Amino acid sequence: TLPLPQAVTLTALLSLLAIAAPAAPRGPEEVVFTGWLRVEDRDVEDLVLVVEVADRCLYAEVLPSGRFTISVPAGAQARLAFIKPGHLTKEIEIDTRHSAPNAKAARANRTVKFDVVLEPEEKRPGRLYDGPVGSLGFHKGTGTTKVRHTLNVVAAPKPAGR
């Protein structure tokens, strides 16, 4: 143990360092994505929204209005799957790795809003999307939102035995 005068001096010095040291820039610990699901019949009661982050699934509720909100940890990648009977399933990739490179981007990217439109299978019989239909991410350096759409539709595989 240090003698009392040295302990007080050490405590005072550490306190001054803590006050004088610039705070490290901190971004949000999570990015909140708010979306609206659009379907022709406006019925979303039978819709399932699956949110996969790493090796776990996150909870996501879809309100009767079609609105949903999910939180993705900053620096993580996620995949959203929108599944509704009688409609083509859509998947979206989300990447929050560059969402907070500076204070301005961190503030702007706390909440990201977007829409998802599900198409009835009858409009594209025997078809499905060839992978994710889009991605939401952030540009490295600026943190500005980056959106990509890829609506490649392919023939659905035929069931075995046919």
Side-chain angles (χ1 to χ4, degrees), residues 38-49:
R38 312 282 185 213
V39 292
E40 282 186 9
D41 64 4
R42 298 184 185 184
D43 178 17
V44 295
E45 285 186 28
D46 57 351
L47 179 109
V48 176
L49 171 52

Side-chain angles (χ1 to χ4, degrees), residues 21-131:
R26 270 188 62 182
E29 293 181 17
E30 61 185 23
V31 179
V32 177
F33 293 86
T34 300
W36 285 267
L37 188 64
R38 312 282 185 213
V39 292
E40 282 186 9
D41 64 4
R42 298 184 185 184
D43 178 17
V44 295
E45 285 186 28
D46 57 351
L47 179 109
V48 176
L49 171 52
V50 178
V51 182
E52 296 176 359
V53 178
D55 59 349
R56 60 193 168 119
C57 286
L58 302 177
Y59 174 77
E61 178 183 13
V62 179
L63 300 175
S65 65
R67 183 176 184 257
F68 59 91
T69 302
I70 60 163
S71 296
V72 177
Q77 294 175 294
R79 184 176 285 233
L80 310 181
F82 299 88
I83 305 163
K84 179 175 172 51
H87 291 73
L88 297 178
T89 295
K90 283 190 174 179
E91 293 184 355
I92 297 174
E93 294 176 330
I94 291 179
D95 186 346
T96 64
R97 286 181 294 180
H98 304 294
S99 63
N102 56 54
K104 181 179 178 184
R107 278 191 309 277
N109 295 334
R110 281 192 190 117
T111 302
V112 177
K113 297 179 180 179
F114 66 100
D115 288 3
V116 176
V117 178
L118 292 185
E119 292 179 274
E121 287 176 341
E122 64 193 34
K123 287 192 174 181
R124 295 181 186 243
R127 313 297 267 167
L128 55 79
Y129 291 106
D130 184 24

